[in-house]
Amino acid sequence: MYKGPLKTTDVPLSTPVQYVKGVGPHLAKKLARLNVFTVEDLFYLIPNRYIDRRKMDPIGQLIPGKEKTIIGHVLSSGPVFLGKKGKQIYEVVVGDKTGKISAKWFHFYLNSMRKQFAVGTKVLLAGEVTTYRNKLQFFHPEAELLDSETEAMEIGGKILPVYPLTEGLYQKTLRRIIRNAWDHFGPSLKPALPLDFLERHHLADPWESIAQLHFPASDIDVDVLNARRSAAHRTLIFDEFFFLELGLALKKAKTVRQEGISIPFVPHVHEQFLGLLPFELTEAQKRVCNEIIQEMAKPFPMNRLIQGDVGSGKTVVALAAALQAAANGYQAAIMAPTEILAEQHFFTLRGFLDQMGIPCGLITSGVKGAEREKIYRLSASGEVPIVIGTHAIIQDDLQFAKLGLVVIDEQHRFGVLQRQALHKKGKSPDILVMTATPIPRTLALTAYGDLDVSVIDELPKGRKPVVTRLYGEKQRENLYEGMRSELKKGKQIFVVYPLIEESEKLDLKNATEMSQELARIFEPDYKVALLHGRLPVLQKETIMADFKSQKIQILTATSVVEVGVDCPNATVMVVEHAERFGLSQLHQLRGRVGRSTHQSYCILMADYRRSEDAKKRLKIMVETHDGFRIAEEDLAIRGPGEFLGTRQAGHPDFKIADLSRDFDILTLARKAAFELIEKDLTLSLPEHHVFRKILQTRWKGKLELLQVS
Ligand code: ADP
Ligand code: MG
């Protein structure tokens, strides 16, 4: 977890938050839910936004579409049911002399809502004003009870910070304890970073910045604060990025100096492979192949990311690299994120490898017993030069005799730590990571900041952009008509659902049910099958094989088909409840079709009556095929989790920086960090010790960055 700038005094910022005046064990438990354990954590609990009490609006004069703050009394308060089946929301109607507005919550704790918003209570509400059936409303507004304490404004002043909360914890409590903590610890804090460093990068004192964010000056521009563009924000964002990039720079410098394996180019193997391909490589594929071949020959470990949009043909490039490793007597491991994909790679690659007389093995959780033992044995003895598999590859039982190259497909599904685990299997093998999800620029500089990048920026010849349509339930008949016409041409169809079983919470049609409906409509002329993650491995394999050999025409599936599946005869991708998917996911799904010279179609079935937002998002899919644009939009909407996988991915959380917003600051911080490492490779100059120390606390052993001697 993120740690603040180191203190230079003896004030123990690591003091448990429980000892702050006014906290105690009970409150400490609640704070823990916000990841606040120490005094320092408390200081780094940065407000989400600010309420400007200097300008209040009469309710009667509110204009929809604006961020507004009002004060009024609760007129009514209670749960309301939406629709027949009834999703429960909580509604509070607040009024003043000029009018009334309702506030609605989808997520709430009934009892605490009832208690807080008793009729007659004076409250402050802040948020974006919208309308519903011509009535004004706030949706999940910031809400404050104005009892005598807050009214007197002893805490917070005119510009009130709004903190992230958890059940039973209130704004005023947080404001009070942060004030208490600051009064006690604040005065003795000194900046840890050298003054000339702060000056050079136009930064304020980090501690002063923190103080300003908790206790904003009364003349400050609240819009600037809310946009997180204040000098204080800038300082803390820079600080956060800088130490991340410093870690990456250090890691990269370390790899470069590390001894690795040299895999010199063996031209006749490459030529033989190209001869077996039913097509010619695109110019982009050739260029990337060359970049890889050249780098593999160097006696340092390769750390390269291949970025290429869906369908750009990354698999053959990876195989070309694997063959070079094999030709030099080394082993190559190819890791894919799902069993289906690993198997697909295995079958594709084996087709070529058999012709070249090179053995290969498959290892997934489905490979069991004697067969698994056999792979273990052959891999450990070096008899199998190419091993393809899922994350089973990084399990401890699998050993390699002479691992020379590791290929990680669909890298965004794996975390940095997993990359590290693979690395350990061999003596600094070359590493090639591939991703079809175009990585937004910011992420490329953070999550993958230590890698070199090759881009396949060209699709194979003759590919036509996939025609994308947005359909509602009313157009379902048109959809079936369109499907029928493609089926008549001998083409195949994917139909993808977000879930596989009836879920009461989300009122979604489920894949099983719909697969049955499609069977009623299209069978016996065309065969319909259902594929989902919970099927036994063997059954999944059979279904995929039957789809590829065109025994199945319509494949209903959950998002297991999202990554990598390659079946060029499929020309229609139908996505049900498209509004439930992220844009990058949709882009991946769409990439399952349009893999031949035939025109393909992607039909997004969506219900966005409740959300203009969803409609806007889905329109982007219709407008563009540019994976980069889609990825940037997705990052802005859904945050980095979508790209980085889970938190266990070994990527530090940002407390205040935002990858989609702060690209400019990231660029500067990265430059500063890499320059520093260039000057002092191991941060061993006395004036740089402070950076090392901070780095150590922030990364806390993550990525084993700091084993620099
Ligand atoms: P991705 O980059 O999405 O992983 P694949 O490697 O699965 O893409 O390739 C997509 C499809 O394009 C496959 O069917 C593959 O055989 C084919 N392909 C790859 N390179 C070329 C090429 N140069 N010309 C024509 N087809 C190609
Ligand atoms: Mg692929």
Side-chain angles (χ1 to χ4, degrees), residues 277-283 285 308-317 341 344-345 348 352 409-410 434-436 456 459-461 463 564-568 588 591-592 594-596:
L277 289 175
F279 45 73
E280 207 186 321
L281 292 187
T282 61
E283 288 309 311
Q285 283 170 318
D309 214 338
V310 266
S312 61
K314 294 180 293 295
T315 314
V316 289
V317 174
L341 196 51
Q344 179 182 283
H345 277 333
T348 314
F352 295 109
D409 195 11
E410 306 297 345
M434 310 201 288
T435 181
I456 307 184
L459 293 180
K461 277 192 210 72
R463 296 277 169 86
V565 172
D566 185 40
C567 177
Q588 283 279 339
R592 295 310 113 218
R595 300 187 148 235
S596 67

Short mmCIF file of all heavy atoms in Angstrom, two decimals, residues 277-283 285 308-317 341 344-345 348 352 409-410 434-436 456 459-461 463 564-568 588 591-592 594-596, ligand 1:
data_model
loop_
_atom_site.label_atom_id
_atom_site.label_comp_id
_atom_site.label_asym_id
_atom_site.label_seq_id
_atom_site.Cartn_x
_atom_site.Cartn_y
_atom_site.Cartn_z
N LEU A 277 3.62 -21.52 -43.34
CA LEU A 277 2.45 -20.66 -43.12
C LEU A 277 1.63 -20.54 -44.40
O LEU A 277 2.18 -20.40 -45.48
CB LEU A 277 2.89 -19.25 -42.67
CG LEU A 277 3.48 -19.11 -41.28
CD1 LEU A 277 3.96 -17.67 -41.07
CD2 LEU A 277 2.45 -19.48 -40.23
N PRO A 278 0.30 -20.57 -44.27
CA PRO A 278 -0.55 -20.45 -45.46
C PRO A 278 -0.66 -19.01 -45.96
O PRO A 278 -1.42 -18.73 -46.88
CB PRO A 278 -1.91 -20.96 -44.97
CG PRO A 278 -1.91 -20.71 -43.51
CD PRO A 278 -0.48 -20.81 -43.05
N PHE A 279 0.05 -18.10 -45.32
CA PHE A 279 -0.02 -16.70 -45.73
C PHE A 279 1.35 -16.07 -45.58
O PHE A 279 2.26 -16.67 -45.00
CB PHE A 279 -1.03 -15.93 -44.87
CG PHE A 279 -0.92 -16.23 -43.40
CD1 PHE A 279 0.13 -15.74 -42.64
CD2 PHE A 279 -1.89 -17.03 -42.77
CE1 PHE A 279 0.23 -16.03 -41.29
CE2 PHE A 279 -1.79 -17.32 -41.40
CZ PHE A 279 -0.74 -16.82 -40.67
N GLU A 280 1.48 -14.85 -46.10
CA GLU A 280 2.73 -14.14 -45.90
C GLU A 280 2.59 -13.22 -44.70
O GLU A 280 1.51 -12.68 -44.45
CB GLU A 280 3.06 -13.32 -47.15
CG GLU A 280 4.56 -13.11 -47.28
CD GLU A 280 4.90 -12.16 -48.43
OE1 GLU A 280 4.22 -12.26 -49.47
OE2 GLU A 280 5.81 -11.35 -48.25
N LEU A 281 3.67 -13.05 -43.95
CA LEU A 281 3.60 -12.14 -42.81
C LEU A 281 3.33 -10.72 -43.28
O LEU A 281 3.78 -10.32 -44.35
CB LEU A 281 4.92 -12.17 -42.02
CG LEU A 281 5.29 -13.45 -41.28
CD1 LEU A 281 6.55 -13.21 -40.44
CD2 LEU A 281 4.15 -13.93 -40.39
N THR A 282 2.60 -9.96 -42.47
CA THR A 282 2.43 -8.55 -42.79
C THR A 282 3.76 -7.84 -42.52
O THR A 282 4.63 -8.38 -41.82
CB THR A 282 1.35 -7.90 -41.89
OG1 THR A 282 1.78 -8.01 -40.53
CG2 THR A 282 0.01 -8.59 -42.07
N GLU A 283 3.88 -6.62 -43.05
CA GLU A 283 5.12 -5.86 -42.82
C GLU A 283 5.35 -5.68 -41.32
O GLU A 283 6.48 -5.78 -40.85
CB GLU A 283 5.05 -4.50 -43.51
CG GLU A 283 5.14 -4.56 -45.05
CD GLU A 283 6.34 -5.38 -45.53
OE1 GLU A 283 7.45 -5.15 -45.04
OE2 GLU A 283 6.13 -6.27 -46.40
N GLN A 285 4.35 -7.58 -38.86
CA GLN A 285 4.80 -8.85 -38.25
C GLN A 285 6.28 -9.08 -38.53
O GLN A 285 7.03 -9.50 -37.66
CB GLN A 285 3.97 -10.02 -38.79
CG GLN A 285 2.58 -10.14 -38.17
CD GLN A 285 1.72 -11.16 -38.90
OE1 GLN A 285 1.71 -11.22 -40.13
NE2 GLN A 285 0.96 -11.96 -38.15
N GLY A 308 -0.52 -5.58 -30.10
CA GLY A 308 -1.12 -5.66 -31.44
C GLY A 308 -2.59 -5.89 -31.27
O GLY A 308 -3.00 -6.71 -30.45
N ASP A 309 -3.38 -5.16 -32.01
CA ASP A 309 -4.82 -5.25 -31.86
C ASP A 309 -5.31 -6.67 -32.11
O ASP A 309 -4.59 -7.48 -32.70
CB ASP A 309 -5.48 -4.28 -32.84
CG ASP A 309 -6.76 -3.69 -32.24
OD1 ASP A 309 -7.31 -4.32 -31.32
OD2 ASP A 309 -7.18 -2.61 -32.69
N VAL A 310 -6.53 -6.95 -31.68
CA VAL A 310 -7.09 -8.29 -31.93
C VAL A 310 -7.01 -8.64 -33.39
O VAL A 310 -7.35 -7.84 -34.25
CB VAL A 310 -8.58 -8.39 -31.48
CG1 VAL A 310 -8.67 -8.90 -30.09
CG2 VAL A 310 -9.28 -7.06 -31.64
N GLY A 311 -6.56 -9.83 -33.68
CA GLY A 311 -6.51 -10.30 -35.06
C GLY A 311 -5.29 -9.85 -35.84
O GLY A 311 -5.16 -10.12 -37.03
N SER A 312 -4.36 -9.16 -35.18
CA SER A 312 -3.20 -8.66 -35.91
C SER A 312 -2.17 -9.77 -36.14
O SER A 312 -1.21 -9.58 -36.87
CB SER A 312 -2.57 -7.48 -35.17
OG SER A 312 -2.13 -7.89 -33.90
N GLY A 313 -2.36 -10.91 -35.53
CA GLY A 313 -1.48 -12.04 -35.79
C GLY A 313 -0.26 -12.11 -34.88
O GLY A 313 0.88 -12.22 -35.34
N LYS A 314 -0.50 -12.07 -33.58
CA LYS A 314 0.61 -12.13 -32.65
C LYS A 314 1.11 -13.56 -32.46
O LYS A 314 2.29 -13.77 -32.19
CB LYS A 314 0.18 -11.55 -31.29
CG LYS A 314 -0.13 -10.07 -31.35
CD LYS A 314 -0.56 -9.51 -30.02
CE LYS A 314 -1.90 -10.03 -29.54
NZ LYS A 314 -3.04 -9.64 -30.38
N THR A 315 0.19 -14.52 -32.61
CA THR A 315 0.56 -15.90 -32.31
C THR A 315 1.73 -16.39 -33.16
O THR A 315 2.66 -17.01 -32.65
CB THR A 315 -0.65 -16.83 -32.52
OG1 THR A 315 -1.79 -16.23 -31.91
CG2 THR A 315 -0.41 -18.19 -31.92
N VAL A 316 1.71 -16.11 -34.46
CA VAL A 316 2.80 -16.60 -35.31
C VAL A 316 4.12 -15.95 -34.94
O VAL A 316 5.18 -16.59 -35.01
CB VAL A 316 2.53 -16.39 -36.83
CG1 VAL A 316 1.45 -17.34 -37.30
CG2 VAL A 316 2.19 -14.97 -37.16
N VAL A 317 4.07 -14.71 -34.50
CA VAL A 317 5.30 -14.03 -34.10
C VAL A 317 5.89 -14.72 -32.86
O VAL A 317 7.09 -14.97 -32.78
CB VAL A 317 5.02 -12.53 -33.82
CG1 VAL A 317 6.25 -11.85 -33.25
CG2 VAL A 317 4.56 -11.84 -35.09
N LEU A 341 -7.92 -21.05 -24.41
CA LEU A 341 -6.91 -20.39 -25.22
C LEU A 341 -5.60 -21.19 -25.27
O LEU A 341 -4.96 -21.30 -26.31
CB LEU A 341 -6.67 -18.99 -24.67
CG LEU A 341 -5.93 -18.04 -25.60
CD1 LEU A 341 -6.56 -18.00 -26.98
CD2 LEU A 341 -5.94 -16.64 -25.00
N GLN A 344 -6.16 -23.98 -27.58
CA GLN A 344 -6.18 -23.51 -28.96
C GLN A 344 -4.77 -23.27 -29.48
O GLN A 344 -4.41 -23.69 -30.57
CB GLN A 344 -6.99 -22.24 -29.05
CG GLN A 344 -7.03 -21.67 -30.45
CD GLN A 344 -7.81 -20.39 -30.47
OE1 GLN A 344 -9.04 -20.39 -30.42
NE2 GLN A 344 -7.10 -19.28 -30.50
N HIS A 345 -3.96 -22.59 -28.66
CA HIS A 345 -2.57 -22.36 -29.04
C HIS A 345 -1.87 -23.69 -29.28
O HIS A 345 -1.15 -23.86 -30.25
CB HIS A 345 -1.81 -21.62 -27.93
CG HIS A 345 -2.00 -20.14 -27.97
ND1 HIS A 345 -2.30 -19.45 -29.13
CD2 HIS A 345 -1.93 -19.21 -27.00
CE1 HIS A 345 -2.40 -18.17 -28.85
NE2 HIS A 345 -2.19 -18.00 -27.57
N THR A 348 -3.00 -25.22 -32.62
CA THR A 348 -2.47 -24.45 -33.75
C THR A 348 -0.97 -24.71 -33.91
O THR A 348 -0.48 -25.03 -34.99
CB THR A 348 -2.65 -22.93 -33.53
OG1 THR A 348 -3.96 -22.70 -33.06
CG2 THR A 348 -2.40 -22.15 -34.80
N PHE A 352 2.10 -26.91 -36.78
CA PHE A 352 3.37 -26.54 -37.41
C PHE A 352 4.52 -27.37 -36.86
O PHE A 352 5.38 -27.84 -37.60
CB PHE A 352 3.68 -25.06 -37.15
CG PHE A 352 2.70 -24.13 -37.80
CD1 PHE A 352 1.80 -23.42 -37.03
CD2 PHE A 352 2.68 -23.97 -39.18
CE1 PHE A 352 0.88 -22.57 -37.62
CE2 PHE A 352 1.77 -23.12 -39.78
CZ PHE A 352 0.87 -22.42 -39.00
N ASP A 409 0.88 -14.71 -23.20
CA ASP A 409 -0.14 -14.16 -24.08
C ASP A 409 -1.18 -13.42 -23.26
O ASP A 409 -1.44 -13.77 -22.12
CB ASP A 409 -0.81 -15.31 -24.87
CG ASP A 409 -1.60 -14.78 -26.06
OD1 ASP A 409 -1.46 -13.58 -26.39
OD2 ASP A 409 -2.35 -15.57 -26.66
N GLU A 410 -1.78 -12.42 -23.87
CA GLU A 410 -2.81 -11.62 -23.19
C GLU A 410 -2.32 -11.18 -21.83
O GLU A 410 -2.92 -11.44 -20.80
CB GLU A 410 -4.12 -12.42 -23.07
CG GLU A 410 -4.63 -12.98 -24.38
CD GLU A 410 -4.99 -11.90 -25.41
OE1 GLU A 410 -5.11 -10.72 -25.02
OE2 GLU A 410 -5.12 -12.24 -26.59
N MET A 434 2.57 -10.50 -24.58
CA MET A 434 1.74 -10.05 -25.70
C MET A 434 0.41 -9.58 -25.17
O MET A 434 -0.16 -10.20 -24.27
CB MET A 434 1.49 -11.20 -26.65
CG MET A 434 2.74 -11.94 -27.05
SD MET A 434 2.50 -12.85 -28.56
CE MET A 434 1.45 -14.17 -28.02
N THR A 435 -0.08 -8.50 -25.71
CA THR A 435 -1.42 -8.10 -25.31
C THR A 435 -2.20 -7.60 -26.51
O THR A 435 -1.66 -6.92 -27.38
CB THR A 435 -1.42 -7.04 -24.21
OG1 THR A 435 -2.77 -6.73 -23.89
CG2 THR A 435 -0.70 -5.79 -24.62
N ALA A 436 -3.48 -7.99 -26.55
CA ALA A 436 -4.35 -7.52 -27.60
C ALA A 436 -5.11 -6.31 -27.11
O ALA A 436 -5.67 -5.56 -27.89
CB ALA A 436 -5.34 -8.60 -28.00
N ILE A 456 2.53 -4.27 -33.38
CA ILE A 456 2.04 -4.76 -34.66
C ILE A 456 0.84 -3.89 -35.02
O ILE A 456 -0.26 -4.09 -34.53
CB ILE A 456 1.60 -6.25 -34.58
CG1 ILE A 456 2.73 -7.10 -34.00
CG2 ILE A 456 1.19 -6.75 -35.95
CD1 ILE A 456 2.43 -8.59 -33.98
N LEU A 459 -3.23 -4.91 -39.75
CA LEU A 459 -3.97 -6.16 -39.80
C LEU A 459 -3.61 -6.88 -41.09
O LEU A 459 -3.22 -6.25 -42.07
CB LEU A 459 -5.47 -5.89 -39.75
CG LEU A 459 -6.03 -5.32 -38.45
CD1 LEU A 459 -7.53 -5.11 -38.56
CD2 LEU A 459 -5.71 -6.20 -37.26
N PRO A 460 -3.73 -8.22 -41.12
CA PRO A 460 -3.50 -8.94 -42.37
C PRO A 460 -4.36 -8.38 -43.51
O PRO A 460 -5.44 -7.85 -43.25
CB PRO A 460 -3.91 -10.37 -42.03
CG PRO A 460 -3.69 -10.49 -40.56
CD PRO A 460 -3.99 -9.14 -40.01
N LYS A 461 -3.86 -8.51 -44.70
CA LYS A 461 -4.55 -7.93 -45.88
C LYS A 461 -5.97 -8.45 -46.04
O LYS A 461 -6.27 -9.59 -45.72
CB LYS A 461 -3.77 -8.29 -47.14
CG LYS A 461 -2.61 -7.36 -47.40
CD LYS A 461 -2.06 -7.59 -48.81
CE LYS A 461 -0.57 -7.28 -48.88
NZ LYS A 461 0.28 -8.27 -48.22
N ARG A 463 -8.74 -7.66 -44.60
CA ARG A 463 -9.69 -7.66 -43.50
C ARG A 463 -10.63 -6.47 -43.64
O ARG A 463 -10.18 -5.35 -43.86
CB ARG A 463 -8.96 -7.57 -42.16
CG ARG A 463 -8.08 -8.74 -41.86
CD ARG A 463 -8.89 -9.90 -41.28
NE ARG A 463 -8.08 -11.11 -41.25
CZ ARG A 463 -7.26 -11.42 -40.25
NH1 ARG A 463 -7.15 -10.61 -39.23
NH2 ARG A 463 -6.56 -12.53 -40.28
N GLY A 564 -8.74 -14.30 -27.44
CA GLY A 564 -7.96 -15.19 -28.28
C GLY A 564 -8.63 -16.17 -29.21
O GLY A 564 -8.02 -16.57 -30.18
N VAL A 565 -9.87 -16.58 -28.92
CA VAL A 565 -10.44 -17.66 -29.74
C VAL A 565 -10.42 -17.31 -31.23
O VAL A 565 -10.81 -16.23 -31.63
CB VAL A 565 -11.89 -17.99 -29.28
CG1 VAL A 565 -12.55 -18.96 -30.22
CG2 VAL A 565 -11.86 -18.54 -27.88
N ASP A 566 -9.96 -18.24 -32.01
CA ASP A 566 -9.74 -17.98 -33.42
C ASP A 566 -10.53 -18.96 -34.27
O ASP A 566 -10.23 -20.14 -34.34
CB ASP A 566 -8.24 -18.11 -33.72
CG ASP A 566 -7.92 -17.73 -35.15
OD1 ASP A 566 -8.52 -16.75 -35.64
OD2 ASP A 566 -7.07 -18.40 -35.77
N CYS A 567 -11.58 -18.46 -34.93
CA CYS A 567 -12.37 -19.30 -35.81
C CYS A 567 -12.81 -18.42 -36.97
O CYS A 567 -13.87 -17.79 -36.92
CB CYS A 567 -13.56 -19.87 -35.05
SG CYS A 567 -14.62 -20.85 -36.13
N PRO A 568 -11.98 -18.33 -38.00
CA PRO A 568 -12.19 -17.34 -39.05
C PRO A 568 -13.53 -17.47 -39.80
O PRO A 568 -13.99 -16.51 -40.40
CB PRO A 568 -11.02 -17.58 -40.01
CG PRO A 568 -9.98 -18.26 -39.18
CD PRO A 568 -10.73 -19.06 -38.17
N GLN A 588 -12.56 -6.86 -27.55
CA GLN A 588 -12.04 -8.23 -27.63
C GLN A 588 -13.05 -9.17 -28.25
O GLN A 588 -12.73 -9.97 -29.11
CB GLN A 588 -11.75 -8.75 -26.22
CG GLN A 588 -10.49 -8.23 -25.60
CD GLN A 588 -9.29 -8.99 -26.11
OE1 GLN A 588 -9.42 -10.10 -26.60
NE2 GLN A 588 -8.14 -8.37 -26.04
N GLY A 591 -13.43 -8.73 -31.78
CA GLY A 591 -12.25 -9.25 -32.46
C GLY A 591 -12.32 -10.73 -32.78
O GLY A 591 -11.49 -11.27 -33.50
N ARG A 592 -13.33 -11.41 -32.23
CA ARG A 592 -13.50 -12.84 -32.55
C ARG A 592 -14.02 -13.02 -33.97
O ARG A 592 -13.92 -14.11 -34.53
CB ARG A 592 -14.49 -13.52 -31.59
CG ARG A 592 -14.07 -13.60 -30.15
CD ARG A 592 -12.70 -14.15 -30.00
NE ARG A 592 -11.83 -13.12 -29.49
CZ ARG A 592 -10.58 -12.95 -29.86
NH1 ARG A 592 -10.02 -13.72 -30.74
NH2 ARG A 592 -9.87 -11.97 -29.35
N GLY A 594 -14.46 -11.10 -38.08
CA GLY A 594 -13.66 -10.23 -38.94
C GLY A 594 -12.27 -10.78 -39.13
O GLY A 594 -11.31 -10.05 -39.33
N ARG A 595 -12.13 -12.11 -39.04
CA ARG A 595 -10.82 -12.72 -39.13
C ARG A 595 -10.60 -13.38 -40.48
O ARG A 595 -9.76 -14.25 -40.63
CB ARG A 595 -10.66 -13.76 -38.02
CG ARG A 595 -10.80 -13.12 -36.68
CD ARG A 595 -10.48 -14.09 -35.57
NE ARG A 595 -9.91 -13.30 -34.49
CZ ARG A 595 -8.74 -13.54 -33.93
NH1 ARG A 595 -8.02 -14.56 -34.28
NH2 ARG A 595 -8.30 -12.75 -32.98
N SER A 596 -11.41 -12.99 -41.47
CA SER A 596 -11.20 -13.50 -42.81
C SER A 596 -11.53 -12.37 -43.77
O SER A 596 -11.76 -11.24 -43.33
CB SER A 596 -12.14 -14.69 -43.07
OG SER A 596 -13.48 -14.23 -43.09
P1 ADP B 1 -4.11 -12.14 -32.29
O1 ADP B 1 -3.08 -11.09 -32.58
O2 ADP B 1 -5.44 -11.55 -31.97
O3 ADP B 1 -3.65 -13.12 -31.26
P2 ADP B 1 -3.97 -14.37 -34.05
O4 ADP B 1 -2.54 -14.62 -33.86
O5 ADP B 1 -4.94 -15.28 -33.37
O6 ADP B 1 -4.31 -12.89 -33.66
O7 ADP B 1 -4.27 -14.31 -35.60
C1 ADP B 1 -5.56 -14.03 -36.10
C2 ADP B 1 -5.83 -14.80 -37.37
O8 ADP B 1 -5.11 -14.22 -38.45
C3 ADP B 1 -5.42 -16.25 -37.30
O9 ADP B 1 -6.41 -17.02 -37.95
C4 ADP B 1 -4.10 -16.28 -38.04
O10 ADP B 1 -3.88 -17.52 -38.64
C5 ADP B 1 -4.32 -15.21 -39.10
N1 ADP B 1 -3.12 -14.53 -39.56
C6 ADP B 1 -2.04 -14.19 -38.81
N2 ADP B 1 -1.13 -13.54 -39.57
C7 ADP B 1 -1.65 -13.46 -40.80
C8 ADP B 1 -1.18 -12.89 -42.06
N3 ADP B 1 -0.01 -12.29 -42.14
N4 ADP B 1 -2.00 -13.01 -43.11
C9 ADP B 1 -3.21 -13.61 -43.03
N5 ADP B 1 -3.69 -14.16 -41.91
C10 ADP B 1 -2.94 -14.09 -40.81
#
